[in-house]
Amino acid sequence: MKKFDKEVYLKWYEDMLFWRKFEDKLAAVYIQQKVRGFLHLYNGQEAVAAGCLHAIDPTKDKMITSYRCHVHPIGLGVDPRRIMAELYGKGTGTSLGLGGSMHIFSKEHHFYGGHGIVGGQIALGAGLAFADKFLNRDGVTLTFMGDGAVRQGAFHETLNLAMLWKLPVVFIVENNHYAMGTSVERTANHVDIWKLGLGYEMPCQAVDGMHPETVAEAVYEAVERARRGDGPTLLDIRTYRYRGHSMSDAQHYRTKEEVEEYKKQDPITNVLSVIKDKKYATDAELEAIDERVKNLVAECEKFAEESPYPEHHIMYDVVYDQENYPFLRSRL
């Protein structure tokens, strides 16, 4: 794994700042009803994605996640303009405007969703890993989920088979302490989610998710284990989200004081502190990064605003392969 040098910290800072500002813009246009449906934001969890991306080989490794899925594909190289267009429901979006916030997808960039069903992606992630092993490919799949998804039966069924078959998969719980509005403490008689791996004799551990360095180190070790053929790992990465579960969340289950306390551990601030302490960038250079981020967010918004909505026939073309589908009576 590449060392945590000046280049890495500056990239982390610019990437994480862009992810945060990109989603801040989404929150603003959501209030204006330009983005509709559900919108689950990643604010506060950026160190998890940044550390994971540093630890993998994006030319062959894959990611699959739940509905909090805007940041991962951007990190893998998906054009953020197309992601914003997808949330606007525009035809230039990653799913032609038909998927929306919870269904970002890019096979080209090894990002396999974006899944609205809680825990639905867990078995699919193991399936991707099974394909890599069956076809003798050298890829590893990072399968992300929230702390609420580990209470699904599919989680346990998947862990069992993944260990039995020694699949090249890393199960990553982005543990932000709340499953929608239910705290981890209220979902089981223990709070150490990583211990769920012990029942399957799967390597497992808790990880500090507010610093990309700790995430990268743990994920790299797990990825290399999987690549050697030694099977899966379960990582309980402890993080926090600064916004609600979704934009419609009133957040009555937690106090403002709790949120403010976690903001003192902001992963972007943590990276910026290292940059300043080690004098990796001048104030002018940091201002230039801020300006690039601001301009790129504006470019994404402009692209989404100006893109056309998909043609009506697209709804049929992406569902029916047979053009004269016999049960299709009319087209809009």
Side-chain angles (χ1 to χ4, degrees):
M1 181 175 64
K2 185 178 179 181
K3 293 182 179 180
F4 307 137
D5 56 15
K6 173 182 175 179
E7 179 185 355
V8 168
Y9 277 102
L10 289 177
K11 176 174 172 51
W12 275 344
Y13 177 66
E14 186 160 351
D15 285 349
M16 293 165 70
L17 184 62
F18 173 68
W19 300 339
R20 178 75 60 85
K21 297 300 182 182
F22 180 88
E23 290 204 320
D24 285 347
K25 176 56 69 175
L26 287 176
V29 297
Y30 185 89
I31 293 171
Q32 299 170 28
Q33 296 189 345
K34 293 179 179 179
V35 170
R36 306 206 178 197
F38 290 103
L39 182 64
H40 306 84
L41 302 179
Y42 203 69
N43 294 38
Q45 301 182 203
E46 292 90 353
V48 181
C52 288
L53 288 162
H54 186 76
I56 67 171
D57 182 346
T59 66
K60 58 186 176 183
D61 296 331
K62 306 173 181 66
M63 286 186 178
I64 186 170
T65 189
S66 62
Y67 38 71
R68 209 175 300 278
C69 62
H70 313 137
V71 167
H72 304 78
I74 295 175
L76 285 171
V78 178
D79 187 342
R81 298 177 305 167
R82 295 193 62 210
I83 291 176
M84 188 166 285
E86 182 61 38
L87 272 80
Y88 269 69
K90 297 298 184 71
T92 54
T94 54
S95 297
L96 306 179
L98 303 180
S101 174
M102 295 193 285
H103 302 99
I104 310 300
F105 188 94
S106 176
K107 182 180 178 182
E108 175 189 357
H109 293 92
H110 301 159
F111 182 71
Y112 290 85
H115 293 268
I117 303 299
V118 175
Q121 77 282 5
I122 301 174
L124 298 179
L128 291 167
F130 179 86
D132 280 336
K133 182 168 185 175
F134 185 79
L135 297 172
N136 294 313
R137 297 188 298 226
D138 194 32
V140 175
T141 299
L142 302 191
T143 300
F144 296 86
M145 68 203 78
D147 47 89
V150 303
R151 310 309 175 192
Q152 297 288 335
F155 169 81
H156 297 273
E157 295 165 355
T158 301
L159 260 61
N160 180 55
L161 288 178
M163 270 307 284
L164 181 65
W165 295 336
K166 295 295 184 288
L167 298 182
V169 57
V170 181
F171 298 105
I172 295 175
V173 181
E174 294 188 284
N175 183 356
N176 59 32
H177 307 293
Y178 293 99
M180 192 174 291
T182 304
S183 66
V184 172
E185 290 84 351
R186 295 184 64 190
T187 63
N189 67 341
H190 65 87
V191 296
D192 294 319
I193 289 175
W194 64 271
K195 291 181 179 178
L196 295 174
L198 297 175
Y200 306 97
E201 298 186 0
M202 181 183 294
C204 50
Q205 67 181 94
V207 181
D208 173 7
M210 304 307 281
H211 295 83
E213 304 94 330
T214 53
V215 174
E217 289 167 349
V219 173
Y220 180 77
E221 181 182 346
V223 166
E224 289 305 297
R225 180 185 297 120
R227 221 184 294 283
R228 290 194 305 267
D230 294 337
T233 301
L234 174 65
L235 298 178
D236 175 6
I237 301 185
R238 312 286 177 81
T239 183
Y240 198 81
R241 55 172 166 78
Y242 296 144
R243 291 184 179 270
H245 173 75
S246 70
M247 286 294 292
S248 59
D249 181 6
Q251 305 181 61
H252 294 311
Y253 49 84
R254 63 182 183 180
T255 64
K256 292 181 179 179
E257 290 76 18
E258 178 184 302
V259 177
E260 290 305 313
E261 194 62 31
Y262 272 99
K263 284 186 176 180
K264 295 177 183 177
Q265 308 174 45
D266 191 315
I268 299 176
T269 303
N270 291 337
V271 168
L272 182 59
S273 295
V274 174
I275 291 172
K276 289 183 175 180
D277 290 345
K278 293 183 177 291
K279 295 180 170 55
Y280 282 158
T282 64
D283 288 343
E285 289 169 332
L286 290 173
E287 288 175 6
I289 290 175
D290 293 348
E291 189 65 20
R292 286 199 299 272
V293 165
K294 179 182 177 181
N295 291 339
L296 182 53
V297 171
E299 186 179 331
C300 292
E301 181 184 19
K302 184 174 185 291
F303 180 81
E305 293 273 5
E306 296 179 353
S307 292
Y309 285 103
E311 297 291 336
H312 288 155
H313 69 83
I314 293 294
M315 290 188 291
Y316 299 104
D317 292 345
V318 298
V319 174
Y320 302 109
D321 183 60
Q322 185 177 339
E323 289 189 10
N324 61 339
Y325 190 69
F327 300 103
L328 196 60
R329 293 287 178 255
S330 64
R331 286 195 170 195
L332 295 175

